Amino acid sequence: MGDIKKVVLAYSGGLDTSIIIPWLKENYDNCEVIAVSGDVGQGTELDGLEEKAKKTGASKLYIEDLNKEFIEDYVFPTIKADAVYENKYLLGTSFARPIIAKRIVEIALAEGADAICHGCTGKGNDQVRFELAIKAFAPDMKIIAPWREWNLKSRDEEIDYAEAHNIPLKITRETNYSKDKNIWHISHEGLDLEDPANEPMYNKEGFLELGVSPEQAPDKPTYVTISFEKGVPVAIDGEKLGSVEIVKKLNQLGGENGIGIVDLVENRLVGMKSRGVYETPGGTILYHAHNKLEEITLDRDTYHFKQQVGLRFAELVYFGQWYTPLRKALSAFVDSTQETVTGDVKLKLYKGNIIDAGVTSPYSLYDADIATFDEDEVYDQKDSAGFINLFGLPIKVQAKKGLITE
């Protein structure tokens, strides 16, 4: 291991990466460790991080503000695709990893590093997401993944290691959930959540971080109107806001009303099932509003085909394949569908529910004169007979041949 003189570490200051700094120095000939934290909205989790990183052996810490790029170049394209993994997961961790990894590679190359290190476990998805992004921008860079090398077998043993090396932690053995937080969401895994039979303790103090449970939400609904231009949210209640401000504002409104709490047993890329609880208040509102606007602005065939694209897009994001030709091509298709996705969506937020309260667009394909149940002069109902005869002709032919069975 003597050929490793300088390592750039993806550093969050959490349990895994806190102990990795001294572990690297112990196991890689006292190599220099440069820590990099990609700021994608972790908030107070970044407080005191530089002091902690240096005290545990890092030579320096980069904290890179990636919030705006994260929302505009990764989150919004995913919303425009209506990409949801397994009908529930809004990909909060998934699309944060590529942008962080890309910036880490840039710093590693600038610093002349011999290797990049991450704290992802050998059971998780993030190891794939980080390493595919590293391969995209530094295909020959050595990657160090301590969870695939060290003898530590559990988070309890990690805490033991931290205590033995006098590394301060913000968690205890009783609150040792595995969490990932950014401006888009927060995930909770581990402890009692590992048994799907256990109901999450939503009302336990300190469990939910971005909002309250539906039971604790106000008895009075909150109305909000979101304006979109070509599929991108640009204003809330008529006030133009930047991308980061929009997400923050909707996180606040959604959190206050118990919106966006998901309990999911998902299929990880590595093959196992994993149970997690996700809080995505603002994101849940944005996805709902965007889809509502597409209901009136996209034609039937495009809308239906785009649903298929959304499923594949979600898989690509979840699997860490952001920097691939297919993801880029699907984004080009999605962008072409968004030319008319402009308008206002009004929603009612009430105790965990998002209730549609009106949608308008200058490009609306809804025609009340055609759709009305009242008398009209634009639709001849007799035309439907010929349409059905032609549409049903294959069935009729098969039936006459005796080829249709129950």
Side-chain angles (χ1 to χ4, degrees):
M1 297 183 182
D3 57 330
I4 303 297
K5 304 295 185 184
K6 183 184 293 188
V7 179
V8 169
L9 169 66
Y11 184 72
S12 68
L15 175 58
D16 296 323
T17 57
S18 292
I19 68 172
I20 283 176
I21 294 177
W23 181 87
L24 282 170
K25 299 183 79 66
E26 288 175 1
N27 291 272
Y28 284 85
D29 300 327
N30 198 35
C31 63
E32 180 183 358
V33 179
I34 298 172
V36 179
S37 294
D39 179 4
V40 286
Q42 299 94 312
T44 57
E45 290 183 6
L46 298 173
D47 293 347
L49 218 55
E50 182 174 10
E51 180 183 5
K52 180 178 179 179
K54 289 183 176 179
K55 277 188 175 181
T56 52
S59 62
K60 67 176 78 169
L61 170 69
Y62 288 88
I63 297 180
E64 302 292 294
D65 184 356
L66 305 174
N67 283 275
K68 187 173 185 291
E69 183 182 354
F70 172 48
I71 294 298
E72 295 181 0
D73 295 347
Y74 295 79
V75 175
F76 284 174
T78 307
I79 295 175
K80 288 193 289 185
D82 296 301
V84 181
Y85 186 70
E86 297 190 339
N87 299 315
K88 288 185 177 181
Y89 177 40
L90 301 187
L91 300 164
T93 299
S94 306
F95 50 30
R97 295 306 184 235
I99 184 176
I100 294 172
K102 179 184 176 185
R103 185 63 186 126
I104 288 170
V105 168
E106 292 169 348
I107 291 173
L109 294 175
E111 287 280 356
D114 304 302
I116 291 174
C117 179
H118 64 74
C120 309
T121 75
K123 289 184 176 182
N125 302 302
D126 279 345
Q127 59 181 333
V128 181
R129 296 165 184 156
F130 268 112
E131 294 187 29
L132 291 189
I134 293 169
K135 291 179 187 299
F137 297 102
D140 296 322
M141 180 70 69
K142 179 176 175 57
I143 298 171
I144 300 174
W147 269 103
R148 303 202 291 257
E149 296 184 26
W150 63 24
N151 294 320
L152 302 177
K153 299 292 193 299
S154 68
R155 289 176 69 81
D156 267 348
E157 290 187 8
E158 286 186 283
I159 293 176
D160 292 338
Y161 184 97
E163 291 174 347
H165 289 74
N166 298 313
I167 299 171
L169 300 174
K170 294 182 180 181
I171 59 172
T172 67
R173 296 180 194 273
E174 292 73 29
T175 62
N176 185 23
Y177 288 106
S178 176
K179 298 189 178 187
D180 178 74
K181 181 181 180 181
N182 58 44
I183 191 175
W184 185 249
H185 90 151
I186 184 168
S187 63
H188 310 260
E189 295 178 311
L191 298 180
D192 55 299
L193 298 178
E194 291 189 346
D195 185 351
N198 292 332
E199 180 181 2
M201 296 181 289
Y202 296 129
N203 293 323
K204 180 180 179 180
E205 185 177 355
F207 181 74
L208 295 178
E209 296 189 27
L210 298 184
V212 300
S213 69
E215 297 95 327
Q216 294 174 318
D219 293 330
K220 181 180 179 181
T222 298
Y223 284 89
V224 61
T225 298
I226 304 169
S227 301
F228 290 83
E229 292 180 4
K230 295 186 176 182
V232 175
V234 295
I236 297 176
D237 294 330
E239 180 185 4
K240 290 277 188 178
L241 295 171
S243 55
V244 173
E245 288 69 31
I246 283 176
V247 174
K248 286 182 176 180
K249 178 65 175 179
L250 292 177
N251 274 340
Q252 175 200 334
L253 295 175
E256 291 170 351
N257 287 278
I259 303 296
I261 302 170
V262 166
D263 181 357
L264 172 63
V265 177
E266 70 198 58
N267 289 293
R268 284 184 177 175
L269 173 57
V270 295
M272 70 182 70
K273 289 185 180 289
S274 172
R275 197 271 189 97
V277 169
Y278 299 100
E279 299 177 62
T280 321
T284 301
I285 296 170
L286 280 175
Y287 263 88
H288 187 109
H290 177 263
N291 186 258
K292 188 64 182 178
L293 185 57
E294 285 189 327
E295 286 182 7
I296 66 169
T297 55
L298 296 187
D299 66 279
R300 180 194 63 204
D301 290 347
T302 300
Y303 186 80
H304 287 179
F305 187 75
K306 189 169 176 292
Q307 289 178 320
Q308 300 176 48
V309 170
L311 291 174
R312 189 69 181 98
F313 198 105
E315 284 187 338
L316 291 173
V317 176
Y318 188 85
F319 294 166
Q321 295 173 299
W322 186 272
Y323 302 116
T324 60
L326 179 56
R327 198 285 306 166
K328 185 177 180 181
L330 292 184
S331 283
F333 164 77
V334 168
D335 285 343
S336 73
T337 70
Q338 300 298 290
E339 290 296 321
T340 60
V341 185
T342 295
D344 299 326
V345 183
K346 185 177 181 180
L347 302 171
K348 179 164 66 173
L349 313 179
Y350 183 67
K351 289 190 174 296
N353 297 290
I354 302 177
I355 303 165
D356 297 325
V359 56
T360 60
S361 170
Y363 302 103
S364 176
L365 299 177
Y366 179 83
D367 190 327
D369 290 337
I370 294 176
T372 181
F373 283 98
D374 293 330
E375 182 179 354
D376 69 83
E377 297 180 357
V378 296
Y379 187 93
D380 188 343
Q381 298 199 27
K382 294 178 182 179
D383 290 344
S384 63
F387 165 74
I388 295 170
N389 285 335
L390 292 177
F391 192 64
L393 183 59
I395 295 176
K396 184 176 180 179
V397 171
Q398 292 177 70
K400 286 188 172 184
K401 297 288 185 178
L403 299 177
I404 294 182
T405 59
E406 292 185 3

